[in-house]
Amino acid sequence: MNNMTRTFAALADPTRLTVVEELMQRGEMPAGDLVSHVGMSPPAVSRHLKVLREAGVVTQRADGTKRYYRVAPESMRAIVDWTIAHRSFWEASLDRLDAILAEEGGAHNE
C-alpha cells in the first residue's frame, strides 16, 4: 500500500477524520484531551491514533507520561499536491457531465 492509499484509508473513517480536524484546529494535544473532544473511550481513541500514526497522518511525542499528537504537515501537503495533480481530470469530467445534462435537458424540451 502506498503512502497516499494509507493516508486516504486512515482518513476514510469518520472518527479518525474528526480527530485530525480537532488537531488541525487546536494544534498539538495530549491523547486525553482528544478523548473528551471526540467522545470515545481512551482505548478507542488510542486505536484510532495508532492507525493515523502508522499512516503518517499524525506524529506523536512523549513528555513524561503524556503522549502528544499533532497533524504531520507533510501528509496534508501530499493530499493537496495529489488534489492539484488531479484537478484537470475532475474539471474535464464535470465539463462532460454539464454537457450531457444540457443535452438531456434540450431533448426533454422538444
Side-chain angles (χ1 to χ4, degrees):
M1 192 182 302
N2 71 29
N3 287 344
M4 286 305 298
T5 303
R6 271 192 286 268
T7 299
F8 284 127
L11 294 174
D13 180 89
T15 300
R16 289 193 288 269
L17 184 57
T18 298
V19 167
V20 170
E21 287 174 338
E22 283 293 321
L23 291 170
M24 289 175 72
Q25 289 176 7
R26 301 176 188 277
E28 184 179 67
M29 296 174 66
D33 288 359
L34 282 166
V35 168
S36 62
H37 287 284
V38 298
M40 298 183 78
S41 69
V45 170
S46 180
R47 286 190 296 272
H48 285 295
L49 286 168
K50 179 180 179 187
V51 171
L52 290 167
R53 200 174 58 249
E54 289 175 349
V57 177
V58 301
T59 60
Q60 170 192 353
R61 76 173 176 87
D63 186 11
T65 60
K66 287 191 175 186
R67 300 290 178 257
Y68 290 84
Y69 293 87
R70 69 176 182 87
V71 173
E74 58 276 4
S75 67
M76 296 300 107
R77 171 54 59 195
I79 291 171
V80 169
D81 292 346
W82 183 88
T83 304
I84 289 170
H86 291 83
R87 181 178 178 176
S88 62
F89 167 78
W90 289 111
E91 286 176 348
S93 295
L94 292 172
D95 288 346
R96 287 191 300 275
L97 178 60
D98 283 343
I100 290 169
L101 292 174
E103 190 175 293
E104 285 181 2
H108 291 289
N109 292 331
E110 293 176 9

CSV table of all heavy atoms in Angstrom, one decimal, residues 41-98:
chain,number,residue,atom,x,y,z
A,41,SER,N,-14.0,6.3,24.3
A,41,SER,CA,-13.2,5.8,25.4
A,41,SER,C,-11.7,5.9,25.0
A,41,SER,O,-11.3,6.0,23.9
A,41,SER,CB,-13.5,4.3,25.6
A,41,SER,OG,-13.0,3.5,24.5
A,42,PRO,N,-10.9,6.0,26.1
A,42,PRO,CA,-9.4,6.1,25.8
A,42,PRO,C,-8.9,5.0,24.9
A,42,PRO,O,-8.1,5.3,24.0
A,42,PRO,CB,-8.8,6.2,27.2
A,42,PRO,CG,-9.9,6.7,28.1
A,42,PRO,CD,-11.2,6.2,27.5
A,43,PRO,N,-9.3,3.7,25.2
A,43,PRO,CA,-8.7,2.7,24.3
A,43,PRO,C,-9.1,2.9,22.8
A,43,PRO,O,-8.3,2.6,21.9
A,43,PRO,CB,-9.3,1.4,24.9
A,43,PRO,CG,-9.6,1.7,26.3
A,43,PRO,CD,-10.0,3.2,26.3
A,44,ALA,N,-10.4,3.3,22.6
A,44,ALA,CA,-10.8,3.5,21.2
A,44,ALA,C,-10.0,4.6,20.5
A,44,ALA,O,-9.6,4.5,19.4
A,44,ALA,CB,-12.3,3.8,21.2
A,45,VAL,N,-9.9,5.7,21.2
A,45,VAL,CA,-9.1,6.9,20.7
A,45,VAL,C,-7.7,6.4,20.4
A,45,VAL,O,-7.1,6.7,19.4
A,45,VAL,CB,-9.1,8.1,21.6
A,45,VAL,CG1,-8.1,9.2,21.2
A,45,VAL,CG2,-10.5,8.7,21.7
A,46,SER,N,-7.1,5.6,21.3
A,46,SER,CA,-5.7,5.1,21.2
A,46,SER,C,-5.6,4.3,19.9
A,46,SER,O,-4.6,4.4,19.2
A,46,SER,CB,-5.4,4.3,22.4
A,46,SER,OG,-4.1,3.8,22.3
A,47,ARG,N,-6.6,3.4,19.6
A,47,ARG,CA,-6.6,2.6,18.4
A,47,ARG,C,-6.6,3.5,17.2
A,47,ARG,O,-5.9,3.3,16.2
A,47,ARG,CB,-7.7,1.6,18.4
A,47,ARG,CG,-7.5,0.4,19.4
A,47,ARG,CD,-8.5,-0.7,19.2
A,47,ARG,NE,-9.9,-0.2,19.5
A,47,ARG,CZ,-10.5,-0.3,20.7
A,47,ARG,NH1,-9.8,-0.7,21.7
A,47,ARG,NH2,-11.7,0.1,20.8
A,48,HIS,N,-7.5,4.5,17.2
A,48,HIS,CA,-7.6,5.4,16.0
A,48,HIS,C,-6.3,6.2,15.8
A,48,HIS,O,-5.8,6.4,14.7
A,48,HIS,CB,-8.7,6.4,16.2
A,48,HIS,CG,-10.1,5.7,16.0
A,48,HIS,ND1,-10.5,5.2,14.7
A,48,HIS,CD2,-11.1,5.5,16.8
A,48,HIS,CE1,-11.7,4.7,14.8
A,48,HIS,NE2,-12.1,4.9,16.1
A,49,LEU,N,-5.7,6.6,16.9
A,49,LEU,CA,-4.4,7.4,16.8
A,49,LEU,C,-3.3,6.5,16.3
A,49,LEU,O,-2.5,6.9,15.5
A,49,LEU,CB,-4.0,7.9,18.2
A,49,LEU,CG,-4.8,9.1,18.7
A,49,LEU,CD1,-4.5,9.4,20.1
A,49,LEU,CD2,-4.5,10.4,17.8
A,50,LYS,N,-3.3,5.2,16.6
A,50,LYS,CA,-2.3,4.3,16.1
A,50,LYS,C,-2.4,4.1,14.6
A,50,LYS,O,-1.4,4.2,13.9
A,50,LYS,CB,-2.5,2.9,16.8
A,50,LYS,CG,-1.5,1.9,16.3
A,50,LYS,CD,-1.7,0.5,16.9
A,50,LYS,CE,-0.6,-0.5,16.4
A,50,LYS,NZ,-0.9,-1.8,16.8
A,51,VAL,N,-3.7,4.0,14.1
A,51,VAL,CA,-3.9,3.9,12.7
A,51,VAL,C,-3.4,5.2,12.0
A,51,VAL,O,-2.7,5.2,11.0
A,51,VAL,CB,-5.4,3.7,12.3
A,51,VAL,CG1,-5.6,3.8,10.8
A,51,VAL,CG2,-5.8,2.3,12.8
A,52,LEU,N,-3.7,6.4,12.5
A,52,LEU,CA,-3.3,7.6,12.0
A,52,LEU,C,-1.8,7.8,12.0
A,52,LEU,O,-1.2,8.3,11.1
A,52,LEU,CB,-4.0,8.8,12.7
A,52,LEU,CG,-5.5,8.9,12.5
A,52,LEU,CD1,-6.1,9.9,13.5
A,52,LEU,CD2,-5.7,9.4,11.1
A,53,ARG,N,-1.2,7.3,13.1
A,53,ARG,CA,0.3,7.4,13.2
A,53,ARG,C,1.0,6.5,12.2
A,53,ARG,O,1.9,6.9,11.5
A,53,ARG,CB,0.7,7.0,14.7
A,53,ARG,CG,2.0,7.5,15.1
A,53,ARG,CD,2.3,7.2,16.6
A,53,ARG,NE,2.2,5.8,16.9
A,53,ARG,CZ,1.2,5.3,17.7
A,53,ARG,NH1,0.3,6.0,18.2
A,53,ARG,NH2,1.2,4.0,18.0
A,54,GLU,N,0.5,5.3,12.1
A,54,GLU,CA,1.1,4.3,11.1
A,54,GLU,C,0.9,4.8,9.7
A,54,GLU,O,1.7,4.4,8.8
A,54,GLU,CB,0.5,2.9,11.3
A,54,GLU,CG,0.9,2.3,12.6
A,54,GLU,CD,0.3,0.9,12.9
A,54,GLU,OE1,-0.7,0.6,12.2
A,54,GLU,OE2,0.7,0.2,13.8
A,55,ALA,N,-0.2,5.5,9.4
A,55,ALA,CA,-0.4,6.1,8.1
A,55,ALA,C,0.4,7.3,7.8
A,55,ALA,O,0.5,7.8,6.7
A,55,ALA,CB,-1.9,6.3,7.9
A,56,GLY,N,1.1,7.8,8.9
A,56,GLY,CA,1.9,9.1,8.7
A,56,GLY,C,1.1,10.3,8.8
A,56,GLY,O,1.6,11.4,8.4
A,57,VAL,N,-0.2,10.3,9.2
A,57,VAL,CA,-1.1,11.4,9.2
A,57,VAL,C,-0.8,12.3,10.5
A,57,VAL,O,-0.9,13.5,10.5
A,57,VAL,CB,-2.6,11.0,9.1
A,57,VAL,CG1,-3.5,12.2,9.3
A,57,VAL,CG2,-2.8,10.3,7.8
A,58,VAL,N,-0.5,11.6,11.6
A,58,VAL,CA,-0.2,12.3,12.8
A,58,VAL,C,1.2,11.8,13.3
A,58,VAL,O,1.6,10.7,13.0
A,58,VAL,CB,-1.2,12.1,13.9
A,58,VAL,CG1,-2.6,12.6,13.5
A,58,VAL,CG2,-1.3,10.7,14.4
A,59,THR,N,1.8,12.7,14.1
A,59,THR,CA,3.0,12.3,14.8
A,59,THR,C,2.8,12.4,16.3
A,59,THR,O,1.8,13.0,16.8
A,59,THR,CB,4.2,13.2,14.5
A,59,THR,OG1,3.9,14.6,14.8
A,59,THR,CG2,4.5,13.2,13.0
A,60,GLN,N,3.6,11.7,17.0
A,60,GLN,CA,3.5,11.6,18.5
A,60,GLN,C,4.8,12.0,19.1
A,60,GLN,O,5.9,11.6,18.6
A,60,GLN,CB,3.1,10.1,18.9
A,60,GLN,CG,3.2,9.8,20.3
A,60,GLN,CD,3.1,8.3,20.6
A,60,GLN,OE1,2.9,7.5,19.7
A,60,GLN,NE2,3.3,7.9,21.8
A,61,ARG,N,4.7,12.6,20.3
A,61,ARG,CA,5.9,12.9,21.1
A,61,ARG,C,5.5,12.7,22.5
A,61,ARG,O,4.4,12.9,23.0
A,61,ARG,CB,6.4,14.3,20.9
A,61,ARG,CG,5.7,15.4,21.5
A,61,ARG,CD,6.4,16.8,21.4
A,61,ARG,NE,5.5,17.8,22.0
A,61,ARG,CZ,5.5,18.1,23.3
A,61,ARG,NH1,6.4,17.5,24.2
A,61,ARG,NH2,4.7,19.0,23.8
A,62,ALA,N,6.5,12.2,23.3
A,62,ALA,CA,6.3,11.9,24.7
A,62,ALA,C,6.8,13.0,25.5
A,62,ALA,O,7.9,13.6,25.2
A,62,ALA,CB,6.9,10.6,25.1
A,63,ASP,N,6.1,13.3,26.6
A,63,ASP,CA,6.6,14.3,27.6
A,63,ASP,C,6.2,13.7,28.9
A,63,ASP,O,5.0,13.8,29.3
A,63,ASP,CB,6.0,15.7,27.4
A,63,ASP,CG,6.5,16.7,28.3
A,63,ASP,OD1,7.6,16.4,29.0
A,63,ASP,OD2,6.0,17.8,28.4
A,64,GLY,N,7.1,13.0,29.6
A,64,GLY,CA,6.8,12.3,30.8
A,64,GLY,C,5.9,11.2,30.5
A,64,GLY,O,6.2,10.4,29.6
A,65,THR,N,4.7,11.1,31.2
A,65,THR,CA,3.8,10.0,30.9
A,65,THR,C,2.7,10.4,29.9
A,65,THR,O,2.0,9.5,29.5
A,65,THR,CB,3.0,9.7,32.2
A,65,THR,OG1,2.3,10.8,32.7
A,65,THR,CG2,4.0,9.2,33.3
A,66,LYS,N,2.7,11.6,29.4
A,66,LYS,CA,1.8,12.0,28.4
A,66,LYS,C,2.3,11.8,27.0
A,66,LYS,O,3.5,12.0,26.7
A,66,LYS,CB,1.4,13.5,28.6
A,66,LYS,CG,0.5,13.8,29.8
A,66,LYS,CD,0.0,15.2,29.7
A,66,LYS,CE,-1.0,15.4,30.9
A,66,LYS,NZ,-1.7,16.7,30.8
A,67,ARG,N,1.4,11.6,26.1
A,67,ARG,CA,1.7,11.4,24.7
A,67,ARG,C,0.9,12.6,24.0
A,67,ARG,O,-0.3,12.7,24.1
A,67,ARG,CB,1.2,10.1,24.1
A,67,ARG,CG,1.9,8.9,24.8
A,67,ARG,CD,3.4,8.8,24.4
A,67,ARG,NE,4.0,7.7,25.0
A,67,ARG,CZ,4.8,7.8,26.1
A,67,ARG,NH1,5.1,9.0,26.6
A,67,ARG,NH2,5.4,6.7,26.6
A,68,TYR,N,1.7,13.4,23.2
A,68,TYR,CA,1.1,14.5,22.5
A,68,TYR,C,1.0,14.1,21.0
A,68,TYR,O,2.0,13.6,20.5
A,68,TYR,CB,1.9,15.7,22.7
A,68,TYR,CG,1.8,16.3,24.1
A,68,TYR,CD1,2.6,15.8,25.1
A,68,TYR,CD2,0.9,17.3,24.4
A,68,TYR,CE1,2.5,16.3,26.4
A,68,TYR,CE2,0.7,17.8,25.7
A,68,TYR,CZ,1.6,17.3,26.7
A,68,TYR,OH,1.4,17.8,28.0
A,69,TYR,N,-0.1,14.5,20.4
A,69,TYR,CA,-0.3,14.3,19.0
A,69,TYR,C,-0.5,15.5,18.2
A,69,TYR,O,-1.0,16.5,18.7
A,69,TYR,CB,-1.5,13.3,18.8
A,69,TYR,CG,-1.2,12.0,19.3
A,69,TYR,CD1,-1.5,11.7,20.7
A,69,TYR,CD2,-0.7,11.0,18.6
A,69,TYR,CE1,-1.2,10.5,21.2
A,69,TYR,CE2,-0.5,9.7,19.1
A,69,TYR,CZ,-0.7,9.5,20.4
A,69,TYR,OH,-0.5,8.2,20.9
A,70,ARG,N,0.0,15.5,17.0
A,70,ARG,CA,-0.2,16.7,16.1
A,70,ARG,C,-0.3,16.1,14.6
A,70,ARG,O,0.2,15.0,14.3
A,70,ARG,CB,0.9,17.7,16.2
A,70,ARG,CG,2.3,17.2,15.6
A,70,ARG,CD,3.3,18.4,15.7
A,70,ARG,NE,4.5,18.0,15.2
A,70,ARG,CZ,4.9,18.0,13.9
A,70,ARG,NH1,4.0,18.5,13.0
A,70,ARG,NH2,6.0,17.6,13.4
A,71,VAL,N,-0.9,16.9,13.8
A,71,VAL,CA,-1.0,16.5,12.4
A,71,VAL,C,0.4,16.7,11.7
A,71,VAL,O,1.1,17.7,12.0
A,71,VAL,CB,-2.1,17.4,11.6
A,71,VAL,CG1,-2.0,17.1,10.1
A,71,VAL,CG2,-3.4,17.1,12.2
A,72,ALA,N,0.7,15.7,10.9
A,72,ALA,CA,2.0,15.8,10.2
A,72,ALA,C,1.8,16.6,9.0
A,72,ALA,O,1.0,16.3,8.1
A,72,ALA,CB,2.4,14.4,9.8
A,73,PRO,N,2.4,17.8,8.9
A,73,PRO,CA,2.1,18.7,7.8
A,73,PRO,C,2.4,18.1,6.4
A,73,PRO,O,1.7,18.4,5.5
A,73,PRO,CB,3.0,19.9,8.1
A,73,PRO,CG,3.6,19.7,9.4
A,73,PRO,CD,3.4,18.3,9.8
A,74,GLU,N,3.4,17.3,6.4
A,74,GLU,CA,3.8,16.6,5.1
A,74,GLU,C,2.6,15.8,4.6
A,74,GLU,O,2.5,15.6,3.4
A,74,GLU,CB,5.1,15.9,5.2
A,74,GLU,CG,5.2,14.8,6.2
A,74,GLU,CD,5.5,15.2,7.6
A,74,GLU,OE1,5.6,16.4,7.9
A,74,GLU,OE2,5.6,14.3,8.5
A,75,SER,N,1.9,15.2,5.4
A,75,SER,CA,0.7,14.3,5.0
A,75,SER,C,-0.4,15.2,4.4
A,75,SER,O,-1.0,14.8,3.4
A,75,SER,CB,0.2,13.5,6.1
A,75,SER,OG,-0.4,14.2,7.1
A,76,MET,N,-0.6,16.4,5.0
A,76,MET,CA,-1.6,17.3,4.4
A,76,MET,C,-1.1,17.9,3.1
A,76,MET,O,-1.9,18.0,2.2
A,76,MET,CB,-1.9,18.4,5.4
A,76,MET,CG,-2.6,17.9,6.7
A,76,MET,SD,-4.1,17.1,6.5
A,76,MET,CE,-3.7,15.4,6.8
A,77,ARG,N,0.2,18.2,3.0
A,77,ARG,CA,0.8,18.7,1.8
A,77,ARG,C,0.6,17.6,0.7
A,77,ARG,O,0.3,18.0,-0.5
A,77,ARG,CB,2.2,19.0,2.0
A,77,ARG,CG,3.0,19.4,0.8
A,77,ARG,CD,2.5,20.5,-0.1
A,77,ARG,NE,2.3,21.7,0.5
A,77,ARG,CZ,1.6,22.7,0.0
A,77,ARG,NH1,0.9,22.6,-1.1
A,77,ARG,NH2,1.4,23.8,0.7
A,78,ALA,N,0.8,16.4,1.0
A,78,ALA,CA,0.7,15.3,0.0
A,78,ALA,C,-0.8,15.3,-0.5
A,78,ALA,O,-1.0,15.1,-1.7
A,78,ALA,CB,1.1,14.0,0.6
A,79,ILE,N,-1.8,15.5,0.3
A,79,ILE,CA,-3.1,15.5,-0.1
A,79,ILE,C,-3.4,16.6,-1.0
A,79,ILE,O,-4.0,16.5,-2.1
A,79,ILE,CB,-4.1,15.5,1.1
A,79,ILE,CG1,-4.0,14.2,1.9
A,79,ILE,CG2,-5.5,15.8,0.7
A,79,ILE,CD1,-4.8,14.2,3.2
A,80,VAL,N,-2.9,17.8,-0.7
A,80,VAL,CA,-3.1,19.0,-1.5
A,80,VAL,C,-2.4,18.8,-2.9
A,80,VAL,O,-3.0,19.0,-3.9
A,80,VAL,CB,-2.5,20.2,-0.8
A,80,VAL,CG1,-2.4,21.4,-1.8
A,80,VAL,CG2,-3.3,20.6,0.4
A,81,ASP,N,-1.2,18.3,-2.9
A,81,ASP,CA,-0.5,18.0,-4.1
A,81,ASP,C,-1.2,17.0,-5.0
A,81,ASP,O,-1.3,17.2,-6.2
A,81,ASP,CB,1.0,17.5,-3.8
A,81,ASP,CG,1.8,18.6,-3.2
A,81,ASP,OD1,1.5,19.8,-3.2
A,81,ASP,OD2,2.9,18.2,-2.7
A,82,TRP,N,-1.7,16.0,-4.4
A,82,TRP,CA,-2.5,14.9,-5.1
A,82,TRP,C,-3.7,15.6,-5.7
A,82,TRP,O,-4.1,15.3,-6.9
A,82,TRP,CB,-2.9,13.8,-4.2
A,82,TRP,CG,-3.6,12.7,-4.9
A,82,TRP,CD1,-3.0,11.6,-5.5
A,82,TRP,CD2,-5.0,12.5,-5.1
A,82,TRP,NE1,-4.0,10.8,-6.0
A,82,TRP,CE2,-5.2,11.3,-5.8
A,82,TRP,CE3,-6.1,13.3,-4.7
A,82,TRP,CZ2,-6.5,10.9,-6.1
A,82,TRP,CZ3,-7.3,12.8,-5.0
A,82,TRP,CH2,-7.5,11.6,-5.7
A,83,THR,N,-4.4,16.4,-5.0
A,83,THR,CA,-5.7,17.0,-5.4
A,83,THR,C,-5.4,17.9,-6.6
A,83,THR,O,-6.1,17.9,-7.6
A,83,THR,CB,-6.3,17.8,-4.3
A,83,THR,OG1,-6.6,16.9,-3.2
A,83,THR,CG2,-7.6,18.4,-4.7
A,84,ILE,N,-4.3,18.7,-6.5
A,84,ILE,CA,-4.0,19.6,-7.6
A,84,ILE,C,-3.6,18.9,-8.8
A,84,ILE,O,-4.0,19.2,-9.9
A,84,ILE,CB,-2.9,20.6,-7.1
A,84,ILE,CG1,-3.5,21.6,-6.1
A,84,ILE,CG2,-2.2,21.4,-8.3
A,84,ILE,CD1,-2.4,22.4,-5.4
A,85,ALA,N,-2.8,17.8,-8.6
A,85,ALA,CA,-2.4,17.0,-9.8
A,85,ALA,C,-3.6,16.4,-10.5
A,85,ALA,O,-3.5,16.1,-11.7
A,85,ALA,CB,-1.5,15.9,-9.3
A,86,HIS,N,-4.7,16.1,-9.8
A,86,HIS,CA,-5.9,15.5,-10.4
A,86,HIS,C,-7.0,16.5,-10.8
A,86,HIS,O,-8.0,16.1,-11.2
A,86,HIS,CB,-6.4,14.4,-9.5
A,86,HIS,CG,-5.5,13.2,-9.4
A,86,HIS,ND1,-4.4,13.2,-8.6
A,86,HIS,CD2,-5.4,12.1,-10.1
A,86,HIS,CE1,-3.7,12.1,-8.7
A,86,HIS,NE2,-4.4,11.4,-9.6
A,87,ARG,N,-6.7,17.8,-10.6
A,87,ARG,CA,-7.7,18.8,-10.8
A,87,ARG,C,-8.2,18.8,-12.3
A,87,ARG,O,-9.4,18.9,-12.5
A,87,ARG,CB,-7.1,20.2,-10.4
A,87,ARG,CG,-8.1,21.3,-10.6
A,87,ARG,CD,-7.4,22.6,-10.2
A,87,ARG,NE,-8.4,23.7,-10.5
A,87,ARG,CZ,-8.1,24.9,-10.1
A,87,ARG,NH1,-7.0,25.2,-9.5
A,87,ARG,NH2,-9.0,25.9,-10.4
A,88,SER,N,-7.3,18.7,-13.2
A,88,SER,CA,-7.7,18.8,-14.6
A,88,SER,C,-8.6,17.6,-15.0
A,88,SER,O,-9.6,17.8,-15.7
A,88,SER,CB,-6.5,18.8,-15.6
A,88,SER,OG,-5.7,17.6,-15.4
A,89,PHE,N,-8.4,16.5,-14.4
A,89,PHE,CA,-9.3,15.3,-14.6
A,89,PHE,C,-10.7,15.6,-14.1
A,89,PHE,O,-11.7,15.4,-14.8
A,89,PHE,CB,-8.7,14.1,-13.9
A,89,PHE,CG,-9.7,13.0,-13.8
A,89,PHE,CD1,-10.0,12.2,-14.9
A,89,PHE,CD2,-10.5,12.7,-12.7
A,89,PHE,CE1,-10.9,11.1,-14.9
A,89,PHE,CE2,-11.4,11.7,-12.6
A,89,PHE,CZ,-11.6,10.9,-13.7
A,90,TRP,N,-10.8,16.1,-12.9
A,90,TRP,CA,-12.1,16.4,-12.3
A,90,TRP,C,-12.8,17.6,-13.1
A,90,TRP,O,-14.0,17.5,-13.3
A,90,TRP,CB,-12.0,16.7,-10.8
A,90,TRP,CG,-11.6,15.5,-10.1
A,90,TRP,CD1,-10.5,15.2,-9.5
A,90,TRP,CD2,-12.5,14.3,-9.9
A,90,TRP,NE1,-10.5,14.0,-8.9
A,90,TRP,CE2,-11.7,13.4,-9.2
A,90,TRP,CE3,-13.7,14.0,-10.3
A,90,TRP,CZ2,-12.2,12.2,-8.8
A,90,TRP,CZ3,-14.2,12.7,-10.0
A,90,TRP,CH2,-13.5,11.8,-9.3
A,91,GLU,N,-12.1,18.6,-13.5
A,91,GLU,CA,-12.7,19.7,-14.2
A,91,GLU,C,-13.2,19.2,-15.6
A,91,GLU,O,-14.3,19.5,-16.0
A,91,GLU,CB,-11.7,20.8,-14.4
A,91,GLU,CG,-11.4,21.6,-13.1
A,91,GLU,CD,-10.4,22.7,-13.3
A,91,GLU,OE1,-9.6,22.7,-14.3
A,91,GLU,OE2,-10.3,23.5,-12.4
A,92,ALA,N,-12.4,18.3,-16.3
A,92,ALA,CA,-12.9,17.8,-17.5
A,92,ALA,C,-14.1,16.9,-17.3
A,92,ALA,O,-15.1,16.9,-18.1
A,92,ALA,CB,-11.7,17.0,-18.2
A,93,SER,N,-14.1,16.1,-16.3
A,93,SER,CA,-15.2,15.2,-16.0
A,93,SER,C,-16.5,16.0,-15.7
A,93,SER,O,-17.6,15.7,-16.2
A,93,SER,CB,-14.9,14.3,-14.8
A,93,SER,OG,-13.9,13.4,-15.1
A,94,LEU,N,-16.4,17.1,-15.0
A,94,LEU,CA,-17.5,17.9,-14.7
A,94,LEU,C,-18.0,18.7,-15.9
A,94,LEU,O,-19.2,18.8,-16.1
A,94,LEU,CB,-17.2,18.9,-13.5
A,94,LEU,CG,-17.0,18.3,-12.2
A,94,LEU,CD1,-16.5,19.3,-11.2
A,94,LEU,CD2,-18.2,17.6,-11.7
A,95,ASP,N,-17.1,19.1,-16.8
A,95,ASP,CA,-17.5,19.7,-18.0
A,95,ASP,C,-18.3,18.7,-18.9
A,95,ASP,O,-19.3,19.1,-19.5
A,95,ASP,CB,-16.3,20.2,-18.8
A,95,ASP,CG,-15.6,21.4,-18.2
A,95,ASP,OD1,-16.3,22.0,-17.3
A,95,ASP,OD2,-14.5,21.7,-18.5
A,96,ARG,N,-17.8,17.5,-19.0
A,96,ARG,CA,-18.5,16.4,-19.7
A,96,ARG,C,-19.9,16.2,-19.1
A,96,ARG,O,-20.9,16.1,-19.9
A,96,ARG,CB,-17.8,15.1,-19.8
A,96,ARG,CG,-16.5,15.2,-20.7
A,96,ARG,CD,-15.9,13.8,-20.9
A,96,ARG,NE,-15.5,13.1,-19.7
A,96,ARG,CZ,-14.3,13.3,-19.1
A,96,ARG,NH1,-13.4,14.2,-19.7
A,96,ARG,NH2,-14.0,12.7,-18.0
A,97,LEU,N,-20.0,16.2,-17.8
A,97,LEU,CA,-21.3,16.0,-17.2
A,97,LEU,C,-22.2,17.1,-17.5
A,97,LEU,O,-23.4,16.9,-17.8
A,97,LEU,CB,-21.1,15.8,-15.6
A,97,LEU,CG,-22.4,15.6,-14.8
A,97,LEU,CD1,-23.2,14.4,-15.2
A,97,LEU,CD2,-22.0,15.6,-13.3
A,98,ASP,N,-21.7,18.3,-17.4
A,98,ASP,CA,-22.5,19.5,-17.8
A,98,ASP,C,-23.1,19.4,-19.2
A,98,ASP,O,-24.3,19.7,-19.4
A,98,ASP,CB,-21.7,20.8,-17.6
A,98,ASP,CG,-21.6,21.3,-16.2
A,98,ASP,OD1,-22.3,20.8,-15.3
A,98,ASP,OD2,-20.7,22.1,-15.9
